Amino acid sequence: MGNQRTQVAIIGSGPAGLLLGQLLHLAGIDNIILDRVSREYILGRVRAGVLEEGAAGMLAQAGVAGRMEAEGLPHEGIAIAFSGQRHRIDLTGMSGGKRVIIYGQTELTKDLMDARLAAGAVSIHEAEDVLPHDFDGDAPYVTYSKDGTSHRIDCDFIAGCDGYHGPSRQAVPAPAIHTYERVYPFGWLGILAEVPPVSEELIYANHPRGFALCSMRSRTRSRYYIQCAADEDVDAWTDEAFWEELKRRLPAEAAEQVVTGPSFEKSVAPLRSFVAEPMRFGKLFLAGDAAHIVPPTGAKGLNLAASDIHYLFEGLREHYRDGSLAGLDAYSARALARVWQAVRFSWWMTTMLHRFPDTGEFGQKIQEAELAYLVGSQAAATALAENYVGLPY
Ligand code: APR
Ligand code: PHB
């Protein structure tokens, strides 16, 4: 058994774990990150692309905002399309000047990984059987195996940044945790293609055939989604079939502007809302997808990981600098207050924009009334705008 010691053991090298690791490193707090897969595998994941100013600020605080500031696309509005029309929501005008930044999660994960490598901070990849232990006591530790050797990391705290399927939340005794979940009766079929986006801003489309989203990664790389069955077979979709279905779901003026081309990534993602309460168990703190999942309709997953890490880092820094546990004791309640606002918003956007099997005629009319109110009321559009750009930390 190889024994190591650190102040904060971080399980998970996604955005949450990497951001926390970088902030702790800059604050002189020793930490080790463990992940079960390689850096290359993590960088191969295709994920979200919309950053709130709060998340962008966290990257700046971590000293990794340079490429995002140079290459990220500031956006001041989105379009909501339905009944053949596109309606712009002036995000910036209705949120006191806030914007969102289009910058792929893969890119910011790379920026954080590069910073960690440059800092010489310890990350252990392809670690197997990672498990948190004794986090309800004063001497927590993490075990893992690598290359056939068992290891133990003694630490002060454990950050469970290991995503929805990770071991941290699952290590919490059932009576100590309560979960809330809604699984949606559909998924998103998404593609990436090296073609210019159909529009300068994102288009969220409600259509009788199903939801569609027009997004992007840059001015030359587009990201499109269409609502599909939760168990849709991605291999049943040729690029041509995807493009035709996407166009059917967009207003005619937008559909004729779509530039098609070969996809280089195509996948189906399920949609669920999930929250675990609390987010702290003694010396174990859950952050990011380990604690909550939102349907991507509101583009909140990555942004919630950032605000969780803001609260957790502040608590850890306060502990090591001032000897106070106040921030750590407040972590779960503070994080969950913001999580539930984003969960609500993501649920609302999903409910308003998707076709549900049990909607029925009454539900259909309610959805149409919701959309008409949204684009006809300053108050309704302002409510969407302030949630989309991100509520305060
Ligand atoms: N042992 C070690 N690491 C693990 C284990 C395990 N048993 N299980 C999962 N992990 C790692 C995964 O390999 C992954 O790299 O934990 C990491 C979790 O990262 P993410 O899933 O990206 O979660 P998070 O950092 O919270 O970021 C949330 O990612 O999934 C998107 O929509 C989500 O944009 C949001 C963001
Ligand atoms: C994306 O670009 O992947 C994206 C954008 C907005 C969303 C969801 C996904 O709401």
Side-chain angles (χ1 to χ4, degrees):
M1 166 84 77
N3 274 29
Q4 297 156 277
R5 175 95 181 86
T6 190
Q7 291 174 294
V8 181
I10 301 171
I11 306 177
S13 186
L18 285 164
L19 179 58
L20 178 62
Q22 183 62 9
L23 293 169
L24 290 172
H25 171 76
L26 294 176
I29 299 167
D30 192 61
N31 63 91
I32 292 176
I33 294 181
L34 298 117
D35 205 296
R36 68 177 169 183
V37 296
S38 67
R39 289 185 179 83
E40 294 69 28
Y41 186 96
I42 292 168
L43 293 176
R45 291 176 181 143
V46 177
R47 294 283 171 77
V50 176
L51 290 183
E52 297 170 354
E53 285 185 358
M58 294 303 293
L59 295 178
Q61 184 180 343
V64 300
R67 201 157 67 99
M68 175 198 62
E69 287 161 359
E71 299 174 15
L73 302 175
H75 278 208
E76 301 191 355
I78 59 171
I80 304 289
F82 60 97
S83 304
Q85 299 294 318
R86 185 187 336 192
H87 305 266
R88 186 172 189 267
I89 302 291
D90 177 7
L91 297 174
T92 301
M94 292 184 172
S95 66
K98 291 184 180 176
R99 306 183 300 183
V100 293
I101 298 175
I102 303 296
Y103 188 65
Q105 176 171 317
T106 306
E107 306 314 318
L108 75 86
T109 302
K110 184 179 184 317
D111 297 338
L112 284 163
M113 279 185 179
D114 289 348
R116 189 163 184 86
L117 285 166
V122 178
S123 285
I124 299 163
H125 284 273
E126 295 171 308
E128 296 171 17
D129 308 317
V130 180
L131 276 179
H133 301 271
D134 289 0
F135 42 84
D136 54 351
D138 288 328
Y141 64 97
V142 173
T143 57
Y144 69 96
S145 60
K146 187 165 169 75
D147 304 330
T149 304
S150 299
H151 297 265
R152 169 179 169 137
I153 303 175
D154 291 292
C155 53
D156 300 332
F157 301 103
I158 302 169
C161 302
D162 43 334
Y164 180 70
H165 300 287
S168 294
R169 189 182 72 249
Q170 298 176 51
V172 175
I177 192 167
H178 189 79
T179 62
Y180 304 82
E181 185 163 39
R182 169 159 296 183
V183 177
Y184 297 92
F186 40 74
W188 280 14
L189 169 60
I191 69 162
L192 272 173
E194 206 64 39
V195 293
V198 65
S199 164
E200 286 282 307
E201 297 176 331
L202 274 56
I203 304 174
Y204 290 79
N206 171 299
H207 189 277
R209 296 177 66 91
F211 169 78
L213 171 59
C214 304
S215 184
M216 64 197 76
R217 288 292 173 270
S218 71
R219 291 194 173 85
T220 59
R221 177 169 295 186
S222 296
R223 178 69 165 154
Y224 289 107
Y225 300 93
I226 56 174
Q227 174 183 344
C228 64
D231 60 354
E232 189 79 29
D233 175 8
V234 66
D235 297 328
W237 284 84
T238 64
D239 285 352
E240 292 66 32
F242 180 91
W243 292 120
E244 285 318 302
E245 187 58 36
L246 173 75
K247 290 179 188 176
R248 289 190 194 102
R249 301 186 186 186
L250 297 176
E253 49 80 20
E256 63 194 31
Q257 300 289 319
V258 173
V259 176
T260 65
S263 66
F264 62 89
E265 197 276 344
K266 194 183 292 174
S267 56
V268 173
L271 271 66
R272 82 173 71 240
S273 298
F274 174 86
V275 181
E277 289 191 355
M279 289 172 56
R280 182 255 181 109
F281 309 89
K283 297 291 197 314
L284 171 66
F285 295 82
L286 302 181
D289 274 15
H292 42 72
I293 296 288
V294 286
T297 329
K300 291 301 171 197
L302 178 55
N303 291 298
L304 282 179
S307 49
D308 288 351
I309 294 305
H310 166 75
Y311 301 130
L312 182 53
F313 170 66
E314 293 299 322
L316 289 166
R317 178 170 59 178
E318 186 182 73
H319 166 73
Y320 284 107
R321 186 187 57 198
D322 310 332
S324 165
L325 280 172
L328 290 175
D329 290 344
Y331 167 71
S332 182
R334 286 177 76 190
L336 282 168
R338 192 172 194 272
V339 163
W340 275 110
Q341 289 301 320
V343 167
R344 181 211 66 82
F345 173 68
S346 304
W347 164 84
W348 174 73
M349 285 281 278
T350 301
T351 304
M352 179 176 66
L353 292 168
H354 288 74
R355 275 286 168 294
F356 288 73
D358 59 353
T359 293
E361 288 184 339
F362 177 78
Q364 176 62 32
K365 296 302 283 184
I366 292 297
Q367 209 176 60
E368 289 169 10
E370 177 91 55
L371 288 161
Y373 176 59
L374 172 65
V375 300
S377 157
Q378 182 93 358
T382 300
L384 187 158
E386 69 176 7
N387 280 278
Y388 195 92
V389 300
L391 296 176
Y393 278 20

